[in-house]
Amino acid sequence: MAVASSSRRKRVVPSSDIEDGLTQRSAREDVVDDDDDDEIARRVVKKEKKSVKGKGRATETHRSEDIDEEDDEDDKIDVANFPDQPLDKSHAIPMKGLASDWEIMIRTIQRTNNMVSDVAVALADAVEGDEGQKDLLDLERSLKELVDIENEMHTNHEVIQNLVQEVTSGTEIDNIIEQYQGNVRKSKKSYAIKTTRQKYAKNETYKNFKQSIYEIEHPGVAMPPVTEFMSKEPGDVSDDDDDLEMGAVTQDYKCPLILRPLENPVTSEICGHSFSQDAIRGLFDGFRGAKKCPASGCTREFRLSDCKPNKELAKKLKLHTRRLKRKDQEQEVEEIIE
């Protein structure tokens, strides 16, 4: 019996088919390679475009910055060569503000002057004889220095006020710094060459200082003119010149209306006489016009509104009253000893 046998047959692929397959595969690989190259090329081009665009933006930015820098250079002011701008009416208000600042400083130093005077009066009242003379002389020198400083402040204030008047009238001032400094220097130089009498003999602060000290040291005696306490210098006019303060000066602490010591003293700005506040108000009760001064020998007229509180006189009055009490106590002690 014949036995069926099976056998695997190998397929023989023609060499031509193999070659065709290899060729197609190679072609596909070539197509893929071409696609990859195209993609890479596209990416490179895109990157280059971005780079070029970025460079363009950077260039524009730098160009803009350069322009801004040029504009900044144009906007900068050459301070060293920038001329002073003229002042006109529009600057009057800030200039007045400067003048007001000087007024504040003047009031401040005037308060300091009064404090020095108060210290001197208290010292003279507390120390008798020659014990406190050196200290009083030191205080007097300090007061003179303060008077000099106050005068300089007044000078600055007056110069600014004059410049304010110029611009207010329509005048334009081109060289404000030169004018201001020049006028101040001129005034200071004029003050510096004055004599001691010319600087202080008519200064109210200094006169009150000397008056207060003299009253303590010479109670009940009229003080001579302030010029008597100052040596005559070259440039001083004759002592009998009308421009100088002449005649004895004494402070009357009695009210000419009630003939009693002053109470809450007020002083007339018209004639300088002082009265007790309630007494002078009673004189003008219901009357708004001007009346003749009630002080003996005075022919001036004034209104009630012309009478102002006199704090300086009030302080002197207080010291005067205290000295009288102390004097009475000393007399009582002497009588008891006797």
Side-chain angles (χ1 to χ4, degrees), residues 143-172:
L143 182 63
K144 287 181 178 179
E145 292 175 359
L146 291 171
V147 169
D148 294 340
I149 295 173
E150 182 183 347
N151 178 79
E152 184 174 344
M153 290 182 175
H154 278 292
T155 294
N156 283 272
H157 176 259
E158 290 171 3
V159 169
I160 294 178
Q161 286 287 64
N162 292 336
L163 293 173
V164 169
Q165 292 179 2
E166 288 189 38
V167 297
T168 303
S169 64
T171 303
E172 288 191 355

Side-chain angles (χ1 to χ4, degrees), residues 29-131:
E29 291 177 352
D30 290 340
V31 170
V32 171
D33 291 340
D34 290 340
D35 292 341
D36 291 342
D37 291 341
D38 291 342
E39 180 65 22
I40 293 172
R42 283 195 296 272
R43 291 179 179 179
V44 170
V45 170
K46 186 175 181 181
K47 186 174 181 181
E48 289 179 352
K49 286 182 177 181
K50 288 183 177 180
S51 177
V52 171
K53 187 174 181 181
K55 290 180 179 180
R57 288 178 179 175
T59 302
E60 290 296 328
T61 301
H62 287 303
R63 189 176 300 161
S64 176
E65 291 176 353
D66 292 339
I67 293 174
D68 291 340
E69 290 179 0
E70 292 176 0
D71 291 340
D72 291 340
E73 291 293 333
D74 294 337
D75 293 338
K76 287 182 179 179
I77 297 176
D78 187 1
V79 178
N81 300 315
F82 190 75
D84 292 336
Q85 300 302 298
L87 299 185
D88 51 30
K89 287 184 178 180
S90 63
H91 299 94
I93 294 179
M95 290 175 69
K96 289 180 180 179
L98 292 175
S100 297
D101 291 340
W102 281 111
E103 289 179 350
I104 293 173
M105 289 188 285
I106 289 171
R107 289 195 293 269
T108 300
I109 198 169
Q110 286 175 343
R111 288 195 293 268
T112 304
N113 293 345
N114 292 334
M115 290 172 58
V116 172
S117 296
D118 292 344
V119 171
V121 170
L123 178 63
D125 188 50
V127 181
E128 296 181 356
D130 298 332
E131 296 180 11

Side-chain angles (χ1 to χ4, degrees), residues 251-270:
Q251 178 68 61
D252 188 0
Y253 293 105
K254 287 185 178 181
C255 173
L257 289 171
I258 59 177
L259 302 178
R260 293 196 304 271
L262 291 165
E263 298 175 358
N264 299 321
V266 294
T267 301
S268 168
E269 294 181 331
I270 305 301

